[in-house]
């Protein structure tokens, strides 16, 4: 489903082998948040999506866990008062900004947000992962 959807816009992305249930469960276990169904579905079909030049459109399960832990525990971020504790990051813009879901009271909210690394702001960019992928692949 996701591969066909993306291939209707572009052929510039490669798809990783599917994640297994255990790999997807690691996101919730390690980050303490329930992964959204749309992201779970994508990861079970392709464990991350990469551009032909090597940068990710959607992180793999391991990248999601690692990047979220890294950004949540970063001493550099703490020094400048920047926190990503309120986001479940799954992609980046390549300029220091991240894309992800907002987390409120331990619950992932609908919509995709950009976390600005300079201002620390959160701005909703689209209402779903499908819209995010379409928007990013058709720029």
């Amino acid at each position: 489903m996701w591969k066909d959807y993306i291939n209707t816009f572009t052929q510039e992305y490669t798809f990783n082998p599917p994640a297994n249930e255990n790999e997807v469960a690691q996101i919730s276990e390690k980050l303490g948040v329930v992964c959204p169904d749309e992201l779970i579905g994508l990861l079970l079909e392709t464990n991350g999506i990469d551009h032909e030049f090597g940068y990710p459109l959607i992180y793999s399960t391991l990248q999601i866990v690692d990047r979220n832990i890294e950004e949540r525990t970063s001493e550099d971020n703490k020094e400048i008062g920047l926190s990503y504790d309120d986001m479940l990051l799954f992609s980046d813009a390549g300029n220091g900004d991240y894309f992800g879901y907002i987390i409120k009271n331990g619950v992932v909210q609908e919509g995709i947000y950009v976390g600005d690394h300079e201002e620390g702001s959160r701005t909703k960019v689209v209402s779903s992962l499908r819209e995010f992928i379409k928007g990013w692949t058709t720029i």
Side-chain angles (χ1 to χ4, degrees):
M1 173 185 106
W2 285 99
K3 294 176 190 177
D4 292 339
Y5 177 71
I6 294 164
N7 281 330
T8 63
F9 307 119
T10 181
Q11 304 294 309
E12 296 177 356
Y13 291 87
T14 58
F15 304 100
N16 297 327
N20 62 47
E21 296 280 342
N22 186 50
E23 290 170 315
V24 173
Q26 291 296 306
I27 296 170
S28 297
E29 183 179 312
K30 303 242 185 218
L31 302 178
V33 65
V34 176
C35 194
D37 288 342
E38 63 182 2
L39 185 56
I40 290 172
L42 183 141
L43 294 169
L44 290 173
E45 185 176 334
T46 175
N47 192 4
I49 302 169
D50 297 313
H51 190 272
E52 63 187 359
F53 296 121
Y55 57 86
L57 170 65
I58 304 293
Y59 299 149
S60 69
T61 54
L62 181 59
Q63 289 171 315
I64 289 171
V65 170
D66 288 350
R67 183 58 53 99
N68 278 271
I69 290 172
E70 179 182 314
E71 291 302 325
R72 292 176 184 186
T73 60
S74 165
E75 290 300 320
D76 290 340
N77 285 349
K78 289 177 186 174
E79 286 179 18
I80 62 172
L82 181 62
S83 173
Y84 288 99
D85 291 349
D86 66 335
M87 291 187 77
L88 174 60
L89 310 173
F90 64 77
S91 185
D92 65 76
N95 65 357
D97 293 344
Y98 289 102
F99 296 103
Y101 299 91
I102 293 292
I103 304 168
K104 288 186 182 176
N105 301 319
V107 178
V108 173
Q109 306 298 300
E110 288 188 30
I112 307 300
Y113 291 75
V114 61
D116 184 290
H117 74 285
E118 292 175 354
E119 298 177 12
S121 63
R122 308 292 185 253
T123 305
K124 187 174 183 178
V125 290
V126 292
S127 61
S128 71
L129 189 57
R130 287 178 75 82
E131 289 178 59
F132 171 79
I133 289 171
K134 182 178 181 181
W136 197 253
T137 59
T138 59
I139 293 176

